[in-house]
Amino acid sequence: MGIHEEDVAAVRSASDIVQIVSEYTPLKRSGRQWAGLCPFHTEKTPSFSVNPEDNVYYCFGCQAKGDVITFVMEKEQVDFPTAVERLAARYGISLRYTDRAEGEGRKRRARLVDTMARAVEWYHQRLLSAPDAGPARRYLRERGIDGDVVREFRLGWAPDSWDALVRALRLDRELAEGTGLARYSRGRLHDHFRARVMFPIYDERGDPVSFGGRILPGGERQGNRGKYVNTAETPLYSKSKVLYGLDRAKTSIVGSGTAVVCEGYTDVIGFHRAGVPLAVATCGTALTDDHVRLLTRFGAQRLVLAFDADSAGRAAAERFYAWEREHELEVAVADLPPGQDPADVAHTDPERLAAAVEGATPFLRFRLERVFADADLSTNEGRARAAERALAMVAEHPDELVRDQYLMDVASRCRAEPDRLRAMLERLRRQPAAARAARGRSGTGGRGGGRGAPGGDEPPLEEPPWLAATSTGGDGPRGGRAVADRPDDGAPPGGAGATARARGAAAGRAREGPAMEVLRHAVHNPVEVAPWLVEALFDDPVQREVYLALLENDTHGDALAAAGPEAQDLLARLLVEEPISEPFDAVRLLLMHVARREVAAVRLAARTAPDTARVLADLAELNRIIDDLRSAQTAAESADRLLAWLEDRVGDGG
Ligand code: ZN
């Protein structure tokens, strides 16, 4: 592992697990154990216990378990050697490394981080007190960023000088180039940042690894171009893997499952000031697969985009859908006032930011609402054009059931016959994606002579910066990687809790589908879904076991205890996942899925069945049930018919 075994053992026994855990959740003594609310999952009654004698913890709700080192790894999201180092530093244990090179590498990194930290402090003090920072202080005040915020985020000012930082920190060439703070040319070192407001960028552990420097308005001139510049890639900093603000947001993201993705540093600051500490931003680059993976490592299940997510059109949509499927995420768009940045809103109406995240709309819904808002729905022609544009967008979604839900919306908004739209949708799905996009755009052009929005929503000529140029390839709708190949690089080695959860998550990923959402409701809103549920709805044996465990036990704890290991993993996960749909909508989706399954079963049986009349009658009944499930007025009655049908079939032994 890199650190001598005896030293690791010494760290383990010197560390006070109750003290460490108490920094994340209050603990109360209960007999020889200590108990409290679990710091790994959301709960109202304590199910997390710490046993200081054995130096271990265990959660009855989510099965998180381990020792003091695992706890630090999990809560601070660090690897094993780093967790040991942090505890060693805290309890005064000195460490010996088994591998000299590894020890050297860690020492070098520590020197670079230390240099960055000194630079943060030096720039920060300049901003607070240097006379030449007056315009910068004024600029920040005008944007609503006062002294407290400047101190909290350690904002700084890089003076307009060739080498003020190099001289003040006495940087040598190795430290200067290793941190990207200065570069060597013509025999001397030059500061990288000049005449800029400095935003220090920390990695998720809270180590300073880079800066973003913003020029003051009117400050552009020869040799100082670009509104924002960052440090170059260094051993500390890789822009595709670092998210500004994640060090502050990670705990809240873990707790809420939501991450807000912004475009700018001041947007992130705005969200934090407004009491929404969930915001992160990319650092002058696109949102990459690595960024999304990083956010899911901190438990993000919902990404709320706080920028104009529609401007990249189809390419962005396909990327978001791929992430949704690959990482089991929901991508939604914050409900911000049109044309305003989160930073502006934080200044004028901070409460609006919380509401914007709360009321975020699923990405496809957001795009469709724009189509409807731009359309003239008062004429037949306007409705037909809107339906065409909307269907082209719906066709891009990879999930059939989701497409069908939106298709019903388009039908009612545009007063079109659903079956007709369904046939059109099928045709669109058979067309190559590029042709679909052209179709969607021709609709846009069609309203050019009419009531076009000012500024228009022409397809952009180039990709906006937050949309990564896809280098991984094969990430298109059908090219997603199989679940089994997913690298579990997020899971720290040796973390028992992490492994258990990774296993649970893997099981869940393989199973996502309408039954999963219904099970989430069965956990969180049992009264609303229970009347519609029967065992025969659950194909998957583990899902069925979870359903039965919930049905037969009075408490979640009893259900967990009664379930087998796989069902336990799944239930543990469902306990911490909130459903995102309306209960009955989830039930409808599952019932439609089951009815289609029954159609397939009847067809299969028909090959050997002597009674064709019965087969045809069954198929007709099932198709009627599916149609009626689609409409809100007939769904409940249709659901009853399907349940009766299933009961008959089970009675038949079929
Ligand atoms: Zn827990």
Side-chain angles (χ1 to χ4, degrees):
M1 211 75 250
I3 300 172
H4 276 290
E5 288 286 336
E6 312 93 86
D7 294 353
V8 173
V11 165
R12 207 176 264 123
S13 66
S15 303
D16 180 344
I17 192 171
V18 172
Q19 181 183 40
I20 301 278
V21 172
S22 298
E23 286 169 10
Y24 291 90
T25 183
L27 293 176
K28 269 195 191 142
R29 184 185 268 286
S30 113
R32 288 149 74 184
Q33 316 276 324
W34 293 71
L37 294 177
C38 177
F40 296 107
H41 82 276
T42 314
E43 60 177 7
K44 294 205 176 73
T45 54
S47 52
F48 187 83
S49 343
V50 175
N51 173 341
E53 283 167 36
D54 298 317
N55 192 4
V56 294
Y57 61 89
Y58 182 78
C59 172
F60 293 92
C62 70
Q63 270 87 49
K65 51 181 171 283
D67 64 12
V68 68
I69 297 174
T70 353
F71 186 84
V72 172
M73 289 167 66
E74 292 272 299
K75 279 319 284 182
E76 301 184 13
Q77 292 287 323
V78 296
D79 61 9
F80 182 85
T82 309
V84 174
E85 281 168 351
R86 286 193 188 173
L87 289 167
R90 177 160 178 170
Y91 292 102
I93 312 274
S94 59
L95 297 176
R96 290 160 301 155
Y97 292 86
T98 50
D99 178 347
R100 196 151 157 253
E102 181 173 359
E104 289 303 315
R106 289 185 167 269
K107 273 189 209 145
R108 173 155 195 262
R109 184 190 150 91
R111 271 201 309 276
L112 295 178
V113 168
D114 176 65
T115 304
M116 289 300 290
R118 288 195 296 136
V120 169
E121 213 34 48
W122 189 78
Y123 285 137
H124 181 56
Q125 293 306 329
R126 296 290 300 208
L127 178 63
L128 290 182
S129 51
D132 67 310
R137 290 193 290 268
R138 236 178 348 266
Y139 162 78
L140 290 169
R141 256 198 317 275
E142 279 160 14
R143 303 217 69 193
I145 297 178
D146 60 19
D148 286 346
V149 179
V150 164
R151 271 182 283 274
E152 193 186 340
F153 287 85
R154 310 312 282 176
L155 304 190
W157 170 249
D160 191 2
S161 147
W162 285 108
D163 60 356
L165 181 81
V166 168
R167 279 186 284 119
L169 300 192
R170 299 213 172 86
L171 293 184
D172 61 22
R173 191 167 167 186
E174 190 218 333
L175 287 178
E177 294 184 336
T179 53
L181 288 171
R183 59 187 178 280
Y184 188 79
S185 106
R186 279 173 271 155
R188 52 183 292 198
L189 285 165
H190 300 274
D191 285 0
H192 181 66
F193 296 98
R194 290 185 51 189
R196 284 174 185 270
V197 174
M198 302 294 283
F199 295 82
I201 297 166
Y202 299 85
D203 67 10
E204 73 270 19
R205 289 171 256 191
D207 288 341
V209 294
S210 172
F211 283 97
R214 192 204 194 283
I215 210 156
L216 290 179
E220 297 86 352
R221 56 177 159 66
Q222 190 92 40
N224 206 8
R225 289 213 202 98
K227 191 165 148 196
Y228 279 97
V229 294
N230 284 78
T231 21
E233 302 266 312
T234 66
L236 290 180
Y237 173 62
S238 163
K239 66 184 173 197
S240 67
K241 296 197 170 109
V242 171
L243 286 164
Y244 180 73
L246 183 58
D247 56 312
R248 289 163 184 280
K250 64 181 180 183
T251 315
S252 307
I253 294 174
V254 169
S256 70
T258 296
V260 177
V261 180
C262 308
E263 275 187 318
Y265 309 127
T266 49
D267 295 331
V268 171
I269 293 173
F271 270 106
H272 282 265
R273 282 170 57 214
V276 188
L278 300 167
V280 298
T282 57
C283 307
T285 176
L287 192 63
T288 63
D289 285 350
D290 281 335
H291 289 136
V292 174
R293 202 167 294 129
L294 187 59
L295 289 171
T296 56
R297 216 175 85 194
F298 288 98
Q301 295 159 350
R302 184 164 167 260
L303 295 190
V304 175
L305 310 175
F307 50 78
D308 187 358
D310 196 30
S311 57
R314 188 178 61 84
E318 287 190 352
R319 204 158 175 78
F320 295 154
Y321 299 145
W323 284 333
E324 286 191 322
R325 288 185 323 153
E326 198 176 330
H327 300 287
E328 256 193 77
L329 279 172
E330 184 202 333
V331 177
V333 181
D335 176 28
L336 289 165
Q340 286 194 52
D341 290 339
D344 304 329
V345 181
H347 195 23
T348 55
D349 185 7
E351 276 156 30
R352 185 77 169 71
L353 285 184
V357 172
E358 193 80 2
T361 327
F363 181 63
L364 178 51
R365 152 99 35 228
F366 168 81
R367 296 183 79 199
L368 292 177
E369 290 304 331
R370 280 215 173 165
V371 169
F372 295 137
D374 285 351
D376 181 358
L377 296 178
S378 67
T379 68
N380 294 338
E381 290 79 1
R383 284 194 298 273
R385 261 202 304 277
E388 193 182 11
R389 281 189 71 199
L391 269 190
M393 284 177 185
V394 172
E396 287 162 13
H397 201 285
D399 185 316
E400 186 188 348
L401 291 166
V402 173
R403 284 200 303 273
D404 208 63
Q405 291 294 301
Y406 281 104
L407 183 139
M408 299 304 295
D409 289 349
V410 175
S412 78
R413 295 286 280 270
C414 302
R415 288 196 237 152
E417 190 57 47
D419 283 335
R420 243 196 129 78
L421 292 185
R422 218 164 267 129
M424 280 171 71
L425 186 66
E426 280 314 304
R427 277 201 301 280
L428 282 168
R429 291 283 301 170
R430 284 196 295 270
Q431 285 174 10
R436 285 206 302 269
R439 207 176 167 81
R441 275 201 292 275
S442 78
T444 314
R447 62 175 182 76
R451 10 165 291 141
D457 55 357
E458 292 292 318
L461 295 174
E462 51 188 307
E463 286 194 332
W466 48 268
L467 180 75
T470 168
S471 56
T472 44
D475 266 354
R478 266 163 297 279
R481 262 164 278 154
V483 169
D485 310 291
R486 278 174 54 90
D488 253 339
D489 52 3
T499 318
R501 274 198 300 288
R503 183 154 46 87
R509 266 200 298 278
R511 277 196 199 90
E512 190 59 50
M516 282 292 287
E517 182 71 356
V518 167
L519 284 176
R520 279 184 203 108
H521 282 295
V523 169
H524 298 278
N525 315 308
V527 178
E528 311 213 30
V529 292
W532 309 102
L533 300 187
V534 295
E535 190 183 340
L537 295 176
F538 299 94
D539 289 332
D540 178 286
V542 178
Q543 290 177 344
R544 191 161 56 235
E545 195 185 337
V546 166
Y547 166 69
L548 291 174
L550 288 168
L551 188 69
E552 287 157 9
N553 292 281
D554 292 335
T555 67
H556 290 159
D558 291 348
L560 268 173
E566 274 195 81
Q568 212 172 53
D569 277 350
L570 181 59
L571 181 53
R573 180 186 146 205
L574 292 168
L575 286 171
V576 297
E577 284 181 337
E578 294 287 324
I580 54 174
S581 57
E582 289 297 314
F584 189 61
D585 286 346
V587 168
R588 267 163 75 180
L589 275 180
L590 176 62
L591 294 179
M592 279 161 80
H593 172 82
V594 168
R596 291 197 183 103
R597 179 194 80 193
E598 292 300 307
V599 167
V602 168
R603 288 212 174 108
L604 192 67
R607 291 186 196 163
T608 52
D611 186 357
T612 16
R614 163 96 195 264
V615 167
L616 288 176
D618 280 352
L619 285 178
E621 168 66 357
L622 284 169
N623 282 322
R624 260 198 308 279
I625 286 174
I626 293 173
D627 275 347
D628 290 349
L629 280 170
R630 288 200 177 101
S631 152
Q633 288 90 45
T634 48
E637 185 255 339
S638 178
D640 283 336
R641 266 166 33 224
L642 178 62
L643 294 177
W645 201 92
L646 288 172
E647 203 175 320
D648 278 355
R649 192 195 54 127
V650 174
D652 287 353

